[in-house]
Amino acid sequence: MRTAHVFLAAIASSLFTILALHLLTGTGATARPVYQEGDIAICDVASLAEDMMDSDRYLPAREAKQAELETKYLTPLREQATALEQQFVEAQAAGDQERMQQISQQGMMLQQQGAEAQQNFQTELQQFISEQFQDAYSNIVESAAAVGDELGYTYVASSSPPASDFEDETFADLLTEVLSRTYVHYPEGVDITAEVRDDLNLDEE
């Protein structure tokens, strides 16, 4: 009888293990991978990307692009607005109500054109920034993978330091910061952000 109890207990234990694996992994056939110490490295990709975007590799080109787009879209409208303002002052001084009304109508049309120009300016600038960011991110990922391999890590996870202070105040920005902190705890010594920064030569810029 005791042997039967032991057998039933073994079966129950096996069923519990299978059920637990199913609940944890979503399948009873494949177990959740067990990571050993030293398998996973942490890299603060977000801070590296921010520093990369502000480095000499990207910032001068971005500032030049912004100046180019301002000249293309905004400067002509600003000059027209200045000219209309001067014309309005002159018409007002002369007491020419009809001319003042005409200039006011032109100003309203110019305001609409300005809104469209501002939108085009922002669209093209954001597209340029997005292209820069994708290039910076690709460089960081390539560097992190190479450094991780060199140091003997199997995986490199992107995560900001969980204990760092929050920089933003709005809820949306705070939520973004929280979501960037993928890992809330990890052993000391697995953060390879500094090594990746050196590999990217960021401190030299």
Side-chain angles (χ1 to χ4, degrees):
M1 182 64 68
R2 185 174 182 278
T3 302
H5 288 168
V6 172
F7 179 73
L8 290 174
I11 292 178
S13 177
S14 298
L15 290 174
F16 178 82
T17 301
I18 293 173
L19 177 61
L21 287 173
H22 178 77
L23 292 174
L24 290 172
T25 65
T27 174
T30 304
R32 184 187 297 271
V34 178
Y35 299 113
Q36 302 296 325
E37 184 175 357
D39 278 351
I40 303 178
I42 301 296
C43 181
D44 189 355
V45 173
S47 68
L48 290 176
E50 183 177 350
D51 292 344
M52 282 274 283
M53 291 294 287
D54 289 336
S55 71
D56 291 339
R57 269 174 274 189
Y58 296 100
L59 183 58
R62 190 163 66 252
E63 291 176 338
K65 185 65 174 181
Q66 180 173 340
E68 172 193 332
L69 293 175
E70 285 183 355
T71 301
K72 177 181 179 181
Y73 289 111
L74 305 181
T75 301
L77 294 176
R78 289 170 182 162
E79 293 175 350
Q80 293 180 46
T82 300
L84 279 179
E85 183 178 3
Q86 180 62 33
Q87 293 173 24
F88 186 86
V89 170
E90 293 173 355
Q92 187 178 36
D96 190 342
Q97 297 295 327
E98 183 178 356
R99 179 57 179 157
M100 291 170 59
Q101 186 176 1
Q102 291 175 352
I103 295 173
S104 297
Q105 292 175 349
Q106 292 176 7
M108 293 178 62
M109 294 177 59
L110 187 63
Q111 187 175 11
Q112 293 177 352
Q113 295 174 12
E116 294 177 1
Q118 183 68 32
Q119 183 176 1
N120 292 333
F121 167 78
Q122 290 293 340
T123 298
E124 289 195 30
L125 181 60
Q126 290 303 318
Q127 181 179 356
F128 184 82
I129 293 174
S130 296
E131 292 172 355
Q132 280 195 331
F133 187 85
Q134 291 177 44
D135 185 70
Y137 177 79
S138 296
N139 288 329
I140 294 170
V141 169
E142 182 179 350
S143 175
V147 171
D149 286 341
E150 182 179 352
L151 296 177
Y153 290 102
T154 306
Y155 306 91
V156 178
S158 173
S159 181
S160 298
S164 58
D165 295 332
F166 290 107
E167 297 181 359
D168 298 299
E169 296 181 358
T170 66
F171 175 74
D173 291 336
L174 285 173
L175 182 59
T176 300
E177 284 198 53
V178 169
L179 293 177
S180 72
R181 305 178 185 195
T182 311
Y183 283 75
V184 297
H185 175 72
Y186 46 81
E188 294 183 6
V190 301
D191 190 336
I192 63 171
T193 304
E195 288 80 357
V196 175
R197 181 182 296 277
D198 290 341
D199 184 64
L200 292 168
N201 297 318
L202 274 177
D203 291 333
E204 298 178 4
E205 300 183 18

